[in-house]
Amino acid sequence: MTKHALVSGASVGIGRETCALFARKGYRVIALSRQPGGVEFADLEMTLDLESFEKIEGLAGELETEIAAAERVILVNNSGYGQFGALRDLSESMWQRQFSTHVFGPIKLAAVCLRLCEEHGIPLRVIAVSSVLSIAPQKMKGAYCAAKSAMNTAHESFWFDERESNSLESVSLVLPGPVALLSERLRQRHFWLTGIAAFFHSIAVLARHSASR
């Protein structure tokens, strides 16, 4: 049996680098993204649409096959995007998508994974990749900041709700800073990640701690 890492938002940036990190640690890496393809560090890629509970639930069958064969599972809820602009100008659909991506969908995915882990007696850890903007909002980024703040609270509440579970070991929050992507013309599919040294240190510590248990 092997340790499994499920990483959402795996196609670029933090998600892609997180897949690489867990692969180096010997995990079986399952990359989840809206448009999968080309994550060379992944053992398996799946399509994930966080705006639909039905589609998230639809992944249960495929995920169960993986989880049932795992020694333990780490879910990294990393999917995200920024809807910027003045709050007064944002439409209902913009708000809905922002919160579906950062709050509703990730919690639903965590719930599905926890249910499957409980059914098979597999330990689960959840890591939510939030943002420093969840505690330090900025101008013209209100919707993103609000969604990330809600993401923090939702994951903390998920822990309080489920901490008596025999499978759920922990729920962790990581609040990285900005991510800078190098131009595709300059370097194909290579990403410079700035201001997130603490993020990767945290992930590495969590991975080491999981491996030692």
Side-chain angles (χ1 to χ4, degrees), residues 102-103 128-131 134-135 147-157 173-175:
H102 295 103
V103 187
V129 181
S130 180
S131 169
S134 66
I135 58 173
K148 285 297 190 181
S149 181
M151 182 184 198
N152 297 351
T153 302
H155 279 83
E156 289 175 334
S157 296
L173 297 175
V174 184
L175 278 61

Side-chain angles (χ1 to χ4, degrees), residues 75-92:
L75 169 64
V76 182
N77 269 333
N78 168 71
S79 292
Y81 85 102
Q83 175 62 65
F84 301 144
L87 295 181
R88 66 189 293 176
D89 296 329
L90 301 185
S91 67
E92 181 179 356

Side-chain angles (χ1 to χ4, degrees), residues 124-197:
L124 171 68
R125 293 188 173 208
V126 178
I127 302 171
V129 181
S130 180
S131 169
V132 68
L133 294 181
S134 66
I135 58 173
Q138 293 181 355
K139 181 179 180 181
M140 306 299 283
K141 298 178 181 178
Y144 177 79
C145 296
K148 285 297 190 181
S149 181
M151 182 184 198
N152 297 351
T153 302
H155 279 83
E156 289 175 334
S157 296
F158 185 77
W159 167 249
F160 289 129
D161 290 347
E162 307 294 347
R163 61 183 173 181
E164 300 303 321
S165 167
N166 290 328
S167 287
L168 188 61
E169 292 186 337
S170 65
V171 177
S172 304
L173 297 175
V174 184
L175 278 61
V179 177
L181 303 184
L182 206 62
S183 170
E184 283 288 330
R185 291 182 181 178
L186 296 178
R187 194 165 303 199
Q188 282 286 338
R189 289 208 168 278
H190 183 80
F191 299 91
W192 286 107
L193 306 182
T194 60
I196 57 169

Side-chain angles (χ1 to χ4, degrees), residues 190-211:
H190 183 80
F191 299 91
W192 286 107
L193 306 182
T194 60
I196 57 169
F199 165 74
F200 284 112
H201 174 71
S202 298
I203 295 290
V205 168
L206 289 165
R208 276 201 308 273
H209 186 57
S210 294

